[in-house]
Amino acid sequence: MKTLIKVGSIVTMDGRRSVISNGGIVVAGDVIEAVLDESALRALQHFEGDVVDARSLVAVPGFIQTHIHLCQTLFRGLADDLELLDWLRLRIMPLEAAHSPASMYASAMMGIAELIRSGTTTIMDMGSMNHEEEIIRAVTETGMRAFVGKAMMDVNELYAPLKETTEEALTSTRRYAELAHGAAGGRIRYAVAPRFILSCTDRLLQEAYEMTKSFPGMLFHTHAAENRHEMDAVRKRCRMDNVEYFDHLNILHQNTCLAHCIWLNGHEVDLMKERDAKVLHCPSSNLKLGSGIAKIPEYTARGITVSLGADGAPCNNTLDIFHEMRLAALIQKPIYGPTAMDARSVFALATIGGAATLGIAHEVGSLEPGKKADIVLMDIHRTWNPNDIAAGDELYSTIVYSCTPENVHSVLIDGQWVFRNRQHLTLDEESVRELATKELRKLRQRL
């Protein structure tokens, strides 16, 4: 069955960054069959399939967030006003250790509901040490496109109960990878996820990376250079900085995805460029934890691939991609000047940049024939902007600087409507909220 979606504007994010007015998108199954400009749409005399009249809306590629912690969604508001290591030691790790399968599922469902409602169609998620199967179940049921991966920890000086042996970490990770990588018709894939240097032995880091070579398209996902106290601890143990140490261990390559990268030294920036490693930029989390501001304009000027992520709900406290785009632009302007991080560039980080980070730019990140039908329809007229915005930089500006999840009207992932007319179709939002409330209460009792 085919569907023709008629829209007021199409922000394609193709190689020419084309914006089409009064066009249409033909979806066949799970892919985009055609993107039609106004004349081609007018010439289409007869269409066999459903026709969706969305001419008051703007079509954009599904947003991509490359660093999320669905396991932490239940903890929103429970870990405020702390710096990173205290945040982990006093709040997050004890809370994660208290998860049951039911609370993990509730946390993942709550996070996915929020992500879809705000137009995010693809994520890379880092789970906790336990119950990764519940995150995979939630992703499968809701239709989200995701790279998933349990957090690997075989040392833990911050919170000793949350660790396992090296063998247990590697064995369970391989089991989950065999279960999830390529599941749901390729919609779900796996990224091995050693949490960060301070929670992993050298053997775990190296063998986790080696595992990626056994699964085509598998990624290596970890944290790096997020916090000054973390940096001090890494230097004490490794006698070098995070990225330098990854390179020393031969795990810094094109499928290495590093969250934060705030405190990279000059040599590390060179290494990121030379090895084609990827930066996962989380501006809200970095500000709220007081970690710092990553030098994103310098990284992108060097040709380093950068994408965006909200991180976790308790260090943000929202999973809203519009919030991340706006902050990603604004925090750099006092440092680099008002022309830095313009709206078009930031929008690219949240779409095609995210796809490039995940190695799936041939599948998603733009609206082009042959790519997966991950499409967000937005009602930008709710921004109180009196202009008739149809194309050009004004459209990017409106989306990045003015829009919120309230402007998201409908969402397709893999050609399936998962959110339509501001209503979830693959989950019951009220039931998800009730389940989350119940399971959080039980979790806090287990603490």
Side-chain angles (χ1 to χ4, degrees), residues 232-276:
D232 291 341
V234 169
R235 290 187 190 111
K236 182 177 180 180
R237 171 184 145 181
C238 305
R239 300 294 187 266
M240 59 186 79
D241 285 341
N242 284 243
V243 172
E244 291 172 325
Y245 197 63
F246 289 146
D247 192 59
H248 170 73
L249 296 178
N250 194 28
I251 58 177
L252 189 70
H253 299 288
Q254 65 179 5
N255 64 335
T256 303
C257 301
L258 304 181
H260 307 300
C261 295
I262 299 169
W263 300 106
L264 302 187
N265 63 47
H267 180 228
E268 290 182 305
V269 175
D270 291 340
L271 287 172
M272 293 290 290
K273 170 60 178 174
E274 291 168 12
R275 306 291 187 258
D276 194 22

Side-chain angles (χ1 to χ4, degrees), residues 70-372:
L70 290 174
C71 66
Q72 297 175 6
T73 313
L74 287 190
F75 313 151
R76 191 190 320 259
L78 301 184
D80 291 337
D81 306 320
L82 293 166
E83 68 91 30
L84 176 67
L85 298 185
D86 285 342
W87 180 82
L88 289 168
R89 177 174 59 88
L90 299 174
R91 297 285 193 275
I92 297 305
M93 287 185 173
L95 285 163
E96 286 188 19
H99 260 310
S100 68
S103 65
M104 183 66 81
Y105 175 75
S107 188
M109 289 293 288
M110 190 75 167
I112 292 170
E114 181 182 359
L115 288 161
I116 289 175
R117 178 174 280 280
S118 56
T120 293
T121 58
T122 300
I123 60 171
M124 180 158 61
D125 180 70
M126 181 181 289
S128 187
M129 192 181 77
N130 302 313
H131 314 308
E132 181 64 24
E133 68 279 359
E134 298 301 326
I135 294 176
I136 296 169
R137 177 161 75 103
V139 168
T140 303
E141 291 176 358
T142 56
M144 175 66 76
R145 189 180 303 282
F147 282 76
V148 298
K150 66 162 277 180
M152 306 170 77
M153 294 177 281
D154 63 348
V155 292
N156 195 337
E157 296 182 4
L158 295 174
Y159 188 73
L162 197 66
K163 71 175 181 179
E164 56 191 342
T165 68
T166 308
E167 290 298 336
E168 287 169 337
L170 291 168
T171 300
S172 58
T173 291
R174 180 170 288 277
R175 183 176 70 249
Y176 285 130
E178 291 171 348
L179 170 69
H181 196 64
R187 180 169 53 80
I188 305 172
R189 302 177 199 187
Y190 204 85
V192 297
R195 191 157 196 153
F196 68 152
I197 286 177
L198 298 181
S199 67
C200 300
T201 61
D202 291 357
R203 180 191 166 200
L204 181 61
L205 289 168
Q206 289 175 308
E207 293 196 24
Y209 185 81
E210 283 299 308
M211 196 182 300
T212 68
K213 299 177 182 179
S214 302
F215 297 83
M218 184 179 284
L219 303 177
F220 182 93
H221 177 202
T222 190
H223 300 83
E226 180 178 359
N227 171 277
R228 291 189 186 224
H229 292 144
E230 168 221 351
M231 297 286 291
D232 291 341
V234 169
R235 290 187 190 111
K236 182 177 180 180
R237 171 184 145 181
C238 305
R239 300 294 187 266
M240 59 186 79
D241 285 341
N242 284 243
V243 172
E244 291 172 325
Y245 197 63
F246 289 146
D247 192 59
H248 170 73
L249 296 178
N250 194 28
I251 58 177
L252 189 70
H253 299 288
Q254 65 179 5
N255 64 335
T256 303
C257 301
L258 304 181
H260 307 300
C261 295
I262 299 169
W263 300 106
L264 302 187
N265 63 47
H267 180 228
E268 290 182 305
V269 175
D270 291 340
L271 287 172
M272 293 290 290
K273 170 60 178 174
E274 291 168 12
R275 306 291 187 258
D276 194 22
K278 311 302 193 292
V279 172
L280 320 178
H281 179 39
C282 305
S284 294
S285 171
N286 297 162
L287 292 177
K288 186 166 183 287
L289 291 172
S291 298
I293 298 174
K295 299 176 181 178
I296 300 303
E298 296 181 27
Y299 301 165
T300 57
R302 291 290 304 276
I304 296 171
T305 301
V306 177
S307 53
L308 296 179
D311 206 346
C315 63
N316 190 306
N317 291 22
T318 173
L319 304 181
D320 172 7
I321 187 60
F322 298 99
H323 191 63
E324 298 310 307
M325 286 193 291
R326 179 178 167 84
L327 268 182
L330 298 187
I331 62 176
Q332 304 294 345
K333 294 182 184 297
I335 304 169
Y336 296 95
T339 61
M341 301 298 287
D342 62 275
R344 186 194 298 250
S345 298
V346 170
F347 186 82
L349 300 187
T351 52
I352 195 66
T357 294
L358 300 177
I360 54 173
H362 61 291
E363 296 181 26
V364 296
S366 62
L367 302 181
E368 299 181 78
K371 289 200 172 184
K372 295 290 188 179

Side-chain angles (χ1 to χ4, degrees), residues 3 48 53 110 137 215 221 295 302 355 402 418 426 438:
T3 301
E48 290 285 346
D53 187 351
M110 190 75 167
R137 177 161 75 103
F215 297 83
H221 177 202
K295 299 176 181 178
R302 291 290 304 276
S402 300
V418 297
T426 59
K438 180 180 74 172

Side-chain angles (χ1 to χ4, degrees), residues 372-402:
K372 295 290 188 179
D374 290 8
I375 304 168
V376 175
L377 301 180
M378 297 183 60
D379 180 0
I380 63 170
H381 300 292
R382 288 191 168 202
T383 60
W384 297 91
N385 192 325
N387 294 325
D388 184 15
I389 300 168
D393 289 339
E394 288 185 2
L395 185 50
Y396 291 106
S397 174
T398 298
I399 294 170
V400 170
Y401 292 127
S402 300

